[in-house]
Amino acid sequence: MSPEEYADHFLENDGQLARVKQNIAEKGMPDISIAPGYGRLLTMLVAATKAAQVLEIGALGGYSGICLARGLTPEGRLTSLELKQEFADVALEHLTEAGFGGQVDYLIGQAVDSLEMLKQEGRKFDFFFIDADKENYPVYLEYAIELANPGAIIAGDNTFLRGRTLNLDKNGPSVQAIRRFNEQMATDDRLIGTILPAYDGLAVAMVKPQGQ
């Protein structure tokens, strides 16, 4: 038994998230939702930081959206960026069933376009979760830093790319982008960050308040 399997054993009784995963599979959507242990971590981090405005880049079927929304106060809101309308529709259905439909807004289209719109609107967020196309992770990180309130948390999933990030023989565009993302999350002077090495890797950082 792997450490991840051991940890997941205690999280398998979450019927709501299990139904979401089953429905995602039945609809033929990609099986790429965040791992259960990291989903629980997202809930904890949103709640612990009292994040009122959360931005998710990549909705898929709503699994991570539910995890994020579970940490929100009743007044908090989740803004979710999704390329495909059909995926956003499934995600909204699942969040509504979970009781969070009134707290989420979906922006459809290329995430970079939505991020630029949010920037032009002067929007600010307390928490960011990045789980979308890997080649744009460094771009999404720069937008997150620009859109962040002081002390905001940024989390990025799949930072190992099923081992390809660690394999020096792999140098495709996605691998190179994730390597840059990981390095920046851990070393950028604007951030205090680390990389959690379980599951497929999760990078987590806090945006430093100005002057620190």
Side-chain angles (χ1 to χ4, degrees):
M1 177 182 293
S2 70
E4 291 86 353
E5 289 171 331
Y6 175 78
D8 285 347
H9 172 73
F10 300 104
L11 306 175
E12 290 174 347
N13 61 347
D14 194 318
Q16 190 173 76
L17 291 178
R19 287 190 297 274
V20 170
K21 288 205 70 171
Q22 180 180 354
N23 201 22
I24 287 173
E26 290 175 352
K27 291 180 180 296
M29 298 168 67
D31 182 20
I32 53 175
S33 298
I34 192 168
Y38 283 159
R40 183 69 63 88
L41 179 62
L42 291 182
T43 301
M44 292 170 56
L45 288 173
V46 171
T49 57
K50 297 180 173 60
Q53 295 292 329
V54 174
L55 181 63
E56 174 185 45
I57 305 175
L60 190 62
Y63 187 104
S64 59
I66 289 174
C67 295
L68 293 164
R70 283 176 172 179
L72 289 171
T73 64
E75 297 77 28
R77 293 205 65 82
L78 169 65
T79 300
S80 184
L81 313 186
E82 174 52 50
L83 177 64
K84 299 182 178 181
Q85 181 69 60
E86 59 268 31
F87 285 7
D89 291 342
V90 172
L92 178 57
E93 176 186 338
H94 287 148
L95 264 82
T96 300
E97 291 174 353
F100 303 115
Q103 291 181 265
V104 60
D105 301 303
Y106 290 95
L107 301 180
I108 310 303
Q110 296 289 341
V112 170
D113 295 336
S114 296
L115 288 164
E116 182 61 28
M117 182 185 71
L118 293 170
K119 177 183 173 182
Q120 295 302 321
E121 292 176 352
R123 294 284 301 276
K124 294 291 183 179
F125 296 88
D126 308 304
F127 196 101
F128 301 82
F129 178 55
I130 303 171
D131 191 9
D133 54 303
K134 309 311 175 191
E135 290 185 34
N136 275 317
Y137 264 43
V139 177
Y140 298 152
L141 177 56
E142 284 298 332
Y143 269 107
I145 294 171
E146 288 190 50
L147 295 170
N149 282 318
I153 298 294
I154 303 171
D157 197 21
N158 304 120
T159 56
F160 291 161
L161 290 178
R162 301 181 185 273
R164 285 183 289 152
T165 305
L166 313 178
N167 186 341
L168 298 182
D169 294 327
K170 302 291 185 180
N171 289 290
S174 294
V175 173
Q176 293 186 49
I178 288 294
R179 285 175 181 153
R180 292 196 303 273
F181 174 83
N182 289 342
E183 180 177 0
Q184 188 172 350
M185 286 285 279
T187 65
D188 193 296
D189 289 340
R190 297 168 294 177
L191 305 172
I192 302 172
T194 188
I195 298 172
L196 306 181
Y199 300 102
D200 196 30
L202 185 77
V204 183
M206 183 186 78
V207 180
K208 294 180 182 178
Q210 289 186 354
Q212 289 193 9

